[in-house]
Amino acid sequence: MIALRSDLKVVLATQPVDFRKSVHTLSALVSEALHANPYCGDVFVFRSKRMDRVKLLAWDGSGMVLVTKWLHEGRFTWPPIRDGVVHLSATRRD
């Protein structure tokens, strides 16, 4: 079971990344480019240039977790980037 904190932040990198990057390189990117602490427990989301893959990076308290999702067809829908920032809102679907 994966429990999500009520104060969990999901941070999206607005620029695509090279998907050959490892956990260590993505952690360094979080620190240097996003000016965030990769060990804070938040989820950091990276996308490929073709938008058919995403990587999620998170610290779970005992180690770094890297999740990769590849689509065999199509692309992920990515929110518009305005002034270098992506705005998301939670919506409920019944």
Side-chain angles (χ1 to χ4, degrees):
M1 180 173 148
I2 299 173
L4 301 176
R5 302 184 336 253
S6 62
D7 64 338
L8 178 71
K9 291 182 186 175
V10 178
V11 180
L12 285 81
T14 58
Q15 298 300 313
V17 298
D18 180 348
F19 259 55
R20 295 173 290 183
K21 292 187 183 299
S22 69
V23 170
H24 303 291
T25 310
L26 290 173
S27 296
L29 185 63
V30 168
S31 293
E32 296 168 9
L34 300 178
H35 306 289
N37 178 2
Y39 304 102
C40 67
D42 293 338
V43 177
F44 300 92
V45 182
F46 303 93
R47 70 171 174 95
S48 65
K49 187 181 271 188
R50 292 182 298 205
M51 295 173 43
D52 63 342
R53 294 173 281 173
V54 295
K55 283 190 175 183
L56 308 172
L57 182 72
W59 176 258
D60 72 355
S62 65
M64 196 60 78
V65 177
L66 180 64
V67 177
T68 303
K69 173 72 176 186
W70 293 8
L71 295 179
H72 289 283
E73 295 179 11
R75 299 174 356 161
F76 286 99
T77 302
W78 205 253
I81 301 166
R82 294 187 185 103
D83 299 323
V85 176
V86 173
H87 293 279
L88 301 176
S89 62
T91 58
R92 182 177 172 177
R93 295 182 185 189
D94 294 321

